[in-house]
Amino acid sequence: MTTTTVPQVRLRAGFAAALAVMYGREVPLYTTLVEVSREVNADCAASGTWTQRHGGAERLGSLERVTAERHGAIRLGSAREMAQVARVFAGFGMHPVGFYDLRDASATSVPVVSTAFRPTDPAQLAQNPFRVFTSMLVTEDRRFFDAATQARLEELVAARELFGPRLLELSDRAAARGALVQDEADELLELATAAFELSSEPIDKAWYDHLAAISAVAADIGGVPSTHINHLTPRVLDIDDLYARMQDRGIAMIDEVQGPPAWEGPDVLLRQTSFKALAEERVFRHEDGTVAPGSLRVRFGEVEQRGIALTPAGRELYDAMVAQVDEAMAGGDGRTRVEVSREVWREHLPTTEAGLAERGLAFFTYRVPDGADAAEAPLPTWEDVPGPEDLARMVAAGVLVAEPIVYEDFLPRSAAGIFASNLDGDGSRDDDQSGAEYDLERLSGVMGATVADPMDLYAAQQDASVREAMGRLGLVVFG
Ligand code: OOG
Ligand code: NI
């Protein structure tokens, strides 16, 4: 008898699909969003002008990948819960990448630090890039929580069990073996999906309201009995088109697309928008002991368009451009943020991929074009991987072709914007108090899992492609 084994990539695809079914049942408007996203992607791929402008419909990922692509978001209450979810996600081949401090990225009250769990290997990403933006409440941050609130939060979170022993056991096994036998795979999917389902247990109204006055995000984490998927985000090729089509259907969207503006040059990083959180019925326990239905607005539908990953130099430029836009907006001449951004983009950012590559602003993979006669390339040997200008020369000479590396991560500013535009009330914070210091290392420490720096991953992918191409050209790269 042969036993079927299910490799991690299929576990991950199954997990994303199962969560989508569950979320579609919980938030029906999500299904509409996915439907409209499909239409947009199909129309982009079929449109000659769109395809030509983007150098091919699949330049930033195969249509199959883009159509199946989702990210989710969850919010947790403690380092222990983070460590456990890291084990669950590792079972699906998803590892923590990037550190985002939302406490400082937002003027409103968002007392969390975050990372994203995702595949790190380019081949795994190409097959299924499912990722989950995962936030941890920083209960010890006095800007948000006084000692009594901190103590109660920690006590409640410590007492709950989000991820049971069997789920953790199966996750560890999948991570260790890279696959599970069919029965165990089915069991893992069922347990993992259920762990992120909305709970129907009554919510303590007074406690929830106490937390909500401080931060709606804190209430959504520590004021409810368990965690849940907060949104699931499909990817589209044209987010402006998606935005317009959702509005045409009469769906209320947040005011703007977050991140880079629509413009004629290459798409970089990440653009996101969402429909507003909807009122959902939940059950509350009141102080007099009565249990009655009420409503909460915390879950929404987000959509995103992904562009090219920027190098540290490119990211520095991006951050400087955002700062310039902020400054111009503070001056306030009536133009929208998008209009101002577009002007700033035109002033600073190259209008072609080749321009981005030559200035070392974005990451690319390089390969020898099909059928090229490598031996005739009149090129020297290299002491190290050639730099952006040399690579650009080789691309111009037709010796190499460059393909953009897609940005697989998030933007703290947009994340804060997404949090904020979907919350009822700004909450409260006392900036005279000092916050609890967090960075990538500290988060790795408390989770017991190394949080990768996304820049290292993109750079390694680019370098590996260059080394391989150099090898094919018969050029030795020393160092
Ligand atoms: C996460 C918000 C961040 C994104 O796409 O930037 C996020 C949350 O609301 O919990 O998902
Ligand atoms: Ni999101």
PDB file of all heavy atoms in Angstrom, residues 284-313:
ATOM      1  N   PHE A 284     -22.662  39.907  23.724  1.00  0.00           N
ATOM      2  CA  PHE A 284     -21.988  40.548  24.856  1.00  0.00           C
ATOM      3  C   PHE A 284     -22.573  40.110  26.198  1.00  0.00           C
ATOM      4  O   PHE A 284     -23.779  39.891  26.305  1.00  0.00           O
ATOM      5  CB  PHE A 284     -22.133  42.070  24.751  1.00  0.00           C
ATOM      6  CG  PHE A 284     -21.370  42.654  23.593  1.00  0.00           C
ATOM      7  CD1 PHE A 284     -21.979  42.803  22.358  1.00  0.00           C
ATOM      8  CD2 PHE A 284     -20.047  43.033  23.736  1.00  0.00           C
ATOM      9  CE1 PHE A 284     -21.280  43.330  21.280  1.00  0.00           C
ATOM     10  CE2 PHE A 284     -19.343  43.557  22.663  1.00  0.00           C
ATOM     11  CZ  PHE A 284     -19.954  43.706  21.433  1.00  0.00           C
ATOM     12  N   ARG A 285     -21.673  40.038  27.183  1.00  0.00           N
ATOM     13  CA  ARG A 285     -22.151  39.827  28.545  1.00  0.00           C
ATOM     14  C   ARG A 285     -22.058  41.166  29.267  1.00  0.00           C
ATOM     15  O   ARG A 285     -20.984  41.767  29.330  1.00  0.00           O
ATOM     16  CB  ARG A 285     -21.313  38.780  29.270  1.00  0.00           C
ATOM     17  CG  ARG A 285     -21.822  38.542  30.697  1.00  0.00           C
ATOM     18  CD  ARG A 285     -21.074  37.470  31.475  1.00  0.00           C
ATOM     19  NE  ARG A 285     -21.117  36.168  30.832  1.00  0.00           N
ATOM     20  CZ  ARG A 285     -20.099  35.626  30.154  1.00  0.00           C
ATOM     21  NH1 ARG A 285     -18.945  36.259  30.067  1.00  0.00           N
ATOM     22  NH2 ARG A 285     -20.215  34.439  29.600  1.00  0.00           N
ATOM     23  N   HIS A 286     -23.190  41.636  29.766  1.00  0.00           N
ATOM     24  CA  HIS A 286     -23.230  42.938  30.431  1.00  0.00           C
ATOM     25  C   HIS A 286     -22.939  42.806  31.922  1.00  0.00           C
ATOM     26  O   HIS A 286     -22.938  41.711  32.463  1.00  0.00           O
ATOM     27  CB  HIS A 286     -24.597  43.596  30.175  1.00  0.00           C
ATOM     28  CG  HIS A 286     -24.796  43.917  28.719  1.00  0.00           C
ATOM     29  ND1 HIS A 286     -24.562  45.159  28.192  1.00  0.00           N
ATOM     30  CD2 HIS A 286     -25.160  43.120  27.680  1.00  0.00           C
ATOM     31  CE1 HIS A 286     -24.789  45.114  26.878  1.00  0.00           C
ATOM     32  NE2 HIS A 286     -25.152  43.889  26.543  1.00  0.00           N
ATOM     33  N   GLU A 287     -22.704  43.975  32.539  1.00  0.00           N
ATOM     34  CA  GLU A 287     -22.293  43.941  33.951  1.00  0.00           C
ATOM     35  C   GLU A 287     -23.332  43.307  34.875  1.00  0.00           C
ATOM     36  O   GLU A 287     -22.988  42.701  35.880  1.00  0.00           O
ATOM     37  CB  GLU A 287     -21.948  45.356  34.432  1.00  0.00           C
ATOM     38  CG  GLU A 287     -20.455  45.593  34.370  1.00  0.00           C
ATOM     39  CD  GLU A 287     -20.076  47.051  34.571  1.00  0.00           C
ATOM     40  OE1 GLU A 287     -20.656  47.914  33.889  1.00  0.00           O
ATOM     41  OE2 GLU A 287     -19.208  47.322  35.413  1.00  0.00           O
ATOM     42  N   ASP A 288     -24.603  43.434  34.512  1.00  0.00           N
ATOM     43  CA  ASP A 288     -25.645  42.828  35.340  1.00  0.00           C
ATOM     44  C   ASP A 288     -25.808  41.332  35.060  1.00  0.00           C
ATOM     45  O   ASP A 288     -26.730  40.693  35.560  1.00  0.00           O
ATOM     46  CB  ASP A 288     -26.986  43.551  35.122  1.00  0.00           C
ATOM     47  CG  ASP A 288     -27.457  43.429  33.671  1.00  0.00           C
ATOM     48  OD1 ASP A 288     -26.783  42.730  32.868  1.00  0.00           O
ATOM     49  OD2 ASP A 288     -28.503  44.033  33.346  1.00  0.00           O
ATOM     50  N   GLY A 289     -24.933  40.783  34.227  1.00  0.00           N
ATOM     51  CA  GLY A 289     -24.966  39.341  33.993  1.00  0.00           C
ATOM     52  C   GLY A 289     -25.781  38.945  32.767  1.00  0.00           C
ATOM     53  O   GLY A 289     -25.734  37.797  32.328  1.00  0.00           O
ATOM     54  N   THR A 290     -26.543  39.891  32.197  1.00  0.00           N
ATOM     55  CA  THR A 290     -27.344  39.528  31.018  1.00  0.00           C
ATOM     56  C   THR A 290     -26.454  39.373  29.787  1.00  0.00           C
ATOM     57  O   THR A 290     -25.414  40.015  29.667  1.00  0.00           O
ATOM     58  CB  THR A 290     -28.427  40.591  30.703  1.00  0.00           C
ATOM     59  OG1 THR A 290     -27.759  41.850  30.550  1.00  0.00           O
ATOM     60  CG2 THR A 290     -29.479  40.655  31.782  1.00  0.00           C
ATOM     61  N   VAL A 291     -26.896  38.483  28.914  1.00  0.00           N
ATOM     62  CA  VAL A 291     -26.170  38.238  27.675  1.00  0.00           C
ATOM     63  C   VAL A 291     -27.080  38.664  26.525  1.00  0.00           C
ATOM     64  O   VAL A 291     -28.224  38.231  26.452  1.00  0.00           O
ATOM     65  CB  VAL A 291     -25.812  36.730  27.569  1.00  0.00           C
ATOM     66  CG1 VAL A 291     -25.258  36.397  26.194  1.00  0.00           C
ATOM     67  CG2 VAL A 291     -24.807  36.359  28.661  1.00  0.00           C
ATOM     68  N   ALA A 292     -26.565  39.554  25.664  1.00  0.00           N
ATOM     69  CA  ALA A 292     -27.422  40.062  24.589  1.00  0.00           C
ATOM     70  C   ALA A 292     -26.588  40.386  23.359  1.00  0.00           C
ATOM     71  O   ALA A 292     -25.407  40.710  23.468  1.00  0.00           O
ATOM     72  CB  ALA A 292     -28.142  41.320  25.074  1.00  0.00           C
ATOM     73  N   PRO A 293     -27.214  40.287  22.190  1.00  0.00           N
ATOM     74  CA  PRO A 293     -26.453  40.602  20.976  1.00  0.00           C
ATOM     75  C   PRO A 293     -26.175  42.097  20.840  1.00  0.00           C
ATOM     76  O   PRO A 293     -26.916  42.926  21.356  1.00  0.00           O
ATOM     77  CB  PRO A 293     -27.391  40.121  19.848  1.00  0.00           C
ATOM     78  CG  PRO A 293     -28.741  40.013  20.443  1.00  0.00           C
ATOM     79  CD  PRO A 293     -28.577  39.833  21.918  1.00  0.00           C
ATOM     80  N   GLY A 294     -25.078  42.403  20.195  1.00  0.00           N
ATOM     81  CA  GLY A 294     -24.715  43.781  19.898  1.00  0.00           C
ATOM     82  C   GLY A 294     -23.924  43.742  18.606  1.00  0.00           C
ATOM     83  O   GLY A 294     -23.938  42.725  17.906  1.00  0.00           O
ATOM     84  N   SER A 295     -23.214  44.818  18.306  1.00  0.00           N
ATOM     85  CA  SER A 295     -22.442  44.740  17.062  1.00  0.00           C
ATOM     86  C   SER A 295     -21.052  45.346  17.215  1.00  0.00           C
ATOM     87  O   SER A 295     -20.809  46.198  18.073  1.00  0.00           O
ATOM     88  CB  SER A 295     -23.219  45.390  15.923  1.00  0.00           C
ATOM     89  OG  SER A 295     -22.926  46.745  15.853  1.00  0.00           O
ATOM     90  N   LEU A 296     -20.133  44.861  16.396  1.00  0.00           N
ATOM     91  CA  LEU A 296     -18.747  45.354  16.383  1.00  0.00           C
ATOM     92  C   LEU A 296     -18.350  45.566  14.935  1.00  0.00           C
ATOM     93  O   LEU A 296     -18.809  44.865  14.044  1.00  0.00           O
ATOM     94  CB  LEU A 296     -17.807  44.312  16.989  1.00  0.00           C
ATOM     95  CG  LEU A 296     -17.752  44.179  18.495  1.00  0.00           C
ATOM     96  CD1 LEU A 296     -16.660  43.187  18.872  1.00  0.00           C
ATOM     97  CD2 LEU A 296     -17.485  45.528  19.156  1.00  0.00           C
ATOM     98  N   ARG A 297     -17.467  46.537  14.745  1.00  0.00           N
ATOM     99  CA  ARG A 297     -16.958  46.773  13.383  1.00  0.00           C
ATOM    100  C   ARG A 297     -15.453  46.580  13.415  1.00  0.00           C
ATOM    101  O   ARG A 297     -14.715  47.489  13.749  1.00  0.00           O
ATOM    102  CB  ARG A 297     -17.224  48.245  13.001  1.00  0.00           C
ATOM    103  CG  ARG A 297     -18.523  48.506  12.306  1.00  0.00           C
ATOM    104  CD  ARG A 297     -18.674  49.974  11.934  1.00  0.00           C
ATOM    105  NE  ARG A 297     -17.489  50.790  12.164  1.00  0.00           N
ATOM    106  CZ  ARG A 297     -16.733  51.299  11.212  1.00  0.00           C
ATOM    107  NH1 ARG A 297     -16.999  51.077   9.951  1.00  0.00           N
ATOM    108  NH2 ARG A 297     -15.703  52.038  11.514  1.00  0.00           N
ATOM    109  N   VAL A 298     -14.976  45.403  13.145  1.00  0.00           N
ATOM    110  CA  VAL A 298     -13.513  45.233  13.148  1.00  0.00           C
ATOM    111  C   VAL A 298     -12.984  44.543  11.903  1.00  0.00           C
ATOM    112  O   VAL A 298     -11.807  44.628  11.610  1.00  0.00           O
ATOM    113  CB  VAL A 298     -12.983  44.453  14.370  1.00  0.00           C
ATOM    114  CG1 VAL A 298     -13.002  45.303  15.609  1.00  0.00           C
ATOM    115  CG2 VAL A 298     -13.751  43.178  14.591  1.00  0.00           C
ATOM    116  N   ARG A 299     -13.859  43.878  11.165  1.00  0.00           N
ATOM    117  CA  ARG A 299     -13.312  43.081  10.068  1.00  0.00           C
ATOM    118  C   ARG A 299     -13.668  43.700   8.725  1.00  0.00           C
ATOM    119  O   ARG A 299     -14.757  44.221   8.531  1.00  0.00           O
ATOM    120  CB  ARG A 299     -13.819  41.661  10.180  1.00  0.00           C
ATOM    121  CG  ARG A 299     -13.516  41.147  11.603  1.00  0.00           C
ATOM    122  CD  ARG A 299     -13.388  39.714  11.709  1.00  0.00           C
ATOM    123  NE  ARG A 299     -14.593  39.045  11.291  1.00  0.00           N
ATOM    124  CZ  ARG A 299     -14.629  37.750  11.058  1.00  0.00           C
ATOM    125  NH1 ARG A 299     -13.547  37.039  11.183  1.00  0.00           N
ATOM    126  NH2 ARG A 299     -15.752  37.182  10.711  1.00  0.00           N
ATOM    127  N   PHE A 300     -12.705  43.630   7.825  1.00  0.00           N
ATOM    128  CA  PHE A 300     -12.909  44.334   6.563  1.00  0.00           C
ATOM    129  C   PHE A 300     -12.317  43.529   5.415  1.00  0.00           C
ATOM    130  O   PHE A 300     -11.866  42.393   5.581  1.00  0.00           O
ATOM    131  CB  PHE A 300     -12.291  45.737   6.634  1.00  0.00           C
ATOM    132  CG  PHE A 300     -10.843  45.775   7.022  1.00  0.00           C
ATOM    133  CD1 PHE A 300      -9.864  45.728   6.035  1.00  0.00           C
ATOM    134  CD2 PHE A 300     -10.447  45.835   8.347  1.00  0.00           C
ATOM    135  CE1 PHE A 300      -8.535  45.757   6.374  1.00  0.00           C
ATOM    136  CE2 PHE A 300      -9.111  45.866   8.689  1.00  0.00           C
ATOM    137  CZ  PHE A 300      -8.151  45.818   7.707  1.00  0.00           C
ATOM    138  N   GLY A 301     -12.338  44.088   4.242  1.00  0.00           N
ATOM    139  CA  GLY A 301     -11.758  43.412   3.082  1.00  0.00           C
ATOM    140  C   GLY A 301     -10.749  44.342   2.451  1.00  0.00           C
ATOM    141  O   GLY A 301     -11.048  45.499   2.182  1.00  0.00           O
ATOM    142  N   GLU A 302      -9.570  43.825   2.248  1.00  0.00           N
ATOM    143  CA  GLU A 302      -8.495  44.648   1.708  1.00  0.00           C
ATOM    144  C   GLU A 302      -8.062  44.039   0.378  1.00  0.00           C
ATOM    145  O   GLU A 302      -8.274  42.854   0.128  1.00  0.00           O
ATOM    146  CB  GLU A 302      -7.346  44.632   2.718  1.00  0.00           C
ATOM    147  CG  GLU A 302      -6.154  45.476   2.362  1.00  0.00           C
ATOM    148  CD  GLU A 302      -4.975  45.125   3.266  1.00  0.00           C
ATOM    149  OE1 GLU A 302      -4.761  43.922   3.543  1.00  0.00           O
ATOM    150  OE2 GLU A 302      -4.270  46.047   3.682  1.00  0.00           O
ATOM    151  N   VAL A 303      -7.453  44.870  -0.449  1.00  0.00           N
ATOM    152  CA  VAL A 303      -6.959  44.382  -1.729  1.00  0.00           C
ATOM    153  C   VAL A 303      -5.622  45.057  -1.982  1.00  0.00           C
ATOM    154  O   VAL A 303      -5.361  46.131  -1.434  1.00  0.00           O
ATOM    155  CB  VAL A 303      -8.007  44.675  -2.835  1.00  0.00           C
ATOM    156  CG1 VAL A 303      -8.203  46.158  -3.031  1.00  0.00           C
ATOM    157  CG2 VAL A 303      -7.648  44.009  -4.142  1.00  0.00           C
ATOM    158  N   GLU A 304      -4.758  44.394  -2.734  1.00  0.00           N
ATOM    159  CA  GLU A 304      -3.435  44.997  -2.932  1.00  0.00           C
ATOM    160  C   GLU A 304      -2.899  44.756  -4.329  1.00  0.00           C
ATOM    161  O   GLU A 304      -3.289  43.811  -5.016  1.00  0.00           O
ATOM    162  CB  GLU A 304      -2.443  44.454  -1.899  1.00  0.00           C
ATOM    163  CG  GLU A 304      -2.112  42.984  -2.076  1.00  0.00           C
ATOM    164  CD  GLU A 304      -1.358  42.406  -0.882  1.00  0.00           C
ATOM    165  OE1 GLU A 304      -1.297  43.053   0.165  1.00  0.00           O
ATOM    166  OE2 GLU A 304      -0.873  41.277  -1.013  1.00  0.00           O
ATOM    167  N   GLN A 305      -2.001  45.644  -4.716  1.00  0.00           N
ATOM    168  CA  GLN A 305      -1.279  45.504  -5.986  1.00  0.00           C
ATOM    169  C   GLN A 305       0.201  45.529  -5.638  1.00  0.00           C
ATOM    170  O   GLN A 305       0.653  46.431  -4.933  1.00  0.00           O
ATOM    171  CB  GLN A 305      -1.636  46.680  -6.895  1.00  0.00           C
ATOM    172  CG  GLN A 305      -0.887  46.691  -8.214  1.00  0.00           C
ATOM    173  CD  GLN A 305      -1.223  47.923  -9.048  1.00  0.00           C
ATOM    174  OE1 GLN A 305      -2.269  48.546  -8.885  1.00  0.00           O
ATOM    175  NE2 GLN A 305      -0.325  48.285  -9.939  1.00  0.00           N
ATOM    176  N   ARG A 306       0.936  44.530  -6.098  1.00  0.00           N
ATOM    177  CA  ARG A 306       2.345  44.451  -5.727  1.00  0.00           C
ATOM    178  C   ARG A 306       3.247  44.905  -6.855  1.00  0.00           C
ATOM    179  O   ARG A 306       2.982  44.654  -8.023  1.00  0.00           O
ATOM    180  CB  ARG A 306       2.697  43.026  -5.280  1.00  0.00           C
ATOM    181  CG  ARG A 306       2.039  42.706  -3.955  1.00  0.00           C
ATOM    182  CD  ARG A 306       2.476  41.433  -3.289  1.00  0.00           C
ATOM    183  NE  ARG A 306       1.878  41.432  -1.957  1.00  0.00           N
ATOM    184  CZ  ARG A 306       2.494  41.871  -0.850  1.00  0.00           C
ATOM    185  NH1 ARG A 306       3.746  42.258  -0.893  1.00  0.00           N
ATOM    186  NH2 ARG A 306       1.858  41.883   0.310  1.00  0.00           N
ATOM    187  N   GLY A 307       4.332  45.594  -6.470  1.00  0.00           N
ATOM    188  CA  GLY A 307       5.297  46.078  -7.447  1.00  0.00           C
ATOM    189  C   GLY A 307       6.685  45.530  -7.156  1.00  0.00           C
ATOM    190  O   GLY A 307       6.836  44.499  -6.489  1.00  0.00           O
ATOM    191  N   ILE A 308       7.686  46.237  -7.636  1.00  0.00           N
ATOM    192  CA  ILE A 308       9.061  45.752  -7.544  1.00  0.00           C
ATOM    193  C   ILE A 308       9.645  46.036  -6.150  1.00  0.00           C
ATOM    194  O   ILE A 308       9.395  47.093  -5.582  1.00  0.00           O
ATOM    195  CB  ILE A 308       9.930  46.449  -8.614  1.00  0.00           C
ATOM    196  CG1 ILE A 308       9.240  46.337  -9.990  1.00  0.00           C
ATOM    197  CG2 ILE A 308      11.330  45.866  -8.672  1.00  0.00           C
ATOM    198  CD1 ILE A 308       9.954  47.093 -11.094  1.00  0.00           C
ATOM    199  N   ALA A 309      10.438  45.089  -5.648  1.00  0.00           N
ATOM    200  CA  ALA A 309      11.107  45.279  -4.351  1.00  0.00           C
ATOM    201  C   ALA A 309      12.207  46.325  -4.497  1.00  0.00           C
ATOM    202  O   ALA A 309      12.981  46.278  -5.454  1.00  0.00           O
ATOM    203  CB  ALA A 309      11.698  43.948  -3.884  1.00  0.00           C
ATOM    204  N   LEU A 310      12.273  47.250  -3.576  1.00  0.00           N
ATOM    205  CA  LEU A 310      13.318  48.271  -3.609  1.00  0.00           C
ATOM    206  C   LEU A 310      14.511  47.854  -2.761  1.00  0.00           C
ATOM    207  O   LEU A 310      14.350  47.211  -1.721  1.00  0.00           O
ATOM    208  CB  LEU A 310      12.768  49.609  -3.100  1.00  0.00           C
ATOM    209  CG  LEU A 310      11.655  50.261  -3.940  1.00  0.00           C
ATOM    210  CD1 LEU A 310      11.276  51.617  -3.342  1.00  0.00           C
ATOM    211  CD2 LEU A 310      12.080  50.427  -5.393  1.00  0.00           C
ATOM    212  N   THR A 311      15.706  48.252  -3.198  1.00  0.00           N
ATOM    213  CA  THR A 311      16.932  48.024  -2.429  1.00  0.00           C
ATOM    214  C   THR A 311      16.944  48.998  -1.250  1.00  0.00           C
ATOM    215  O   THR A 311      16.125  49.921  -1.200  1.00  0.00           O
ATOM    216  CB  THR A 311      18.159  48.328  -3.308  1.00  0.00           C
ATOM    217  OG1 THR A 311      18.065  49.699  -3.717  1.00  0.00           O
ATOM    218  CG2 THR A 311      18.223  47.418  -4.528  1.00  0.00           C
ATOM    219  N   PRO A 312      17.899  48.849  -0.325  1.00  0.00           N
ATOM    220  CA  PRO A 312      17.969  49.847   0.755  1.00  0.00           C
ATOM    221  C   PRO A 312      18.053  51.278   0.223  1.00  0.00           C
ATOM    222  O   PRO A 312      17.404  52.178   0.756  1.00  0.00           O
ATOM    223  CB  PRO A 312      19.235  49.439   1.518  1.00  0.00           C
ATOM    224  CG  PRO A 312      19.312  47.947   1.321  1.00  0.00           C
ATOM    225  CD  PRO A 312      18.809  47.710  -0.086  1.00  0.00           C
ATOM    226  N   ALA A 313      18.805  51.487  -0.879  1.00  0.00           N
ATOM    227  CA  ALA A 313      18.898  52.843  -1.451  1.00  0.00           C
ATOM    228  C   ALA A 313      17.542  53.280  -1.999  1.00  0.00           C
ATOM    229  O   ALA A 313      17.129  54.432  -1.832  1.00  0.00           O
ATOM    230  CB  ALA A 313      19.949  52.875  -2.562  1.00  0.00           C
TER     231      ALA A 313
END
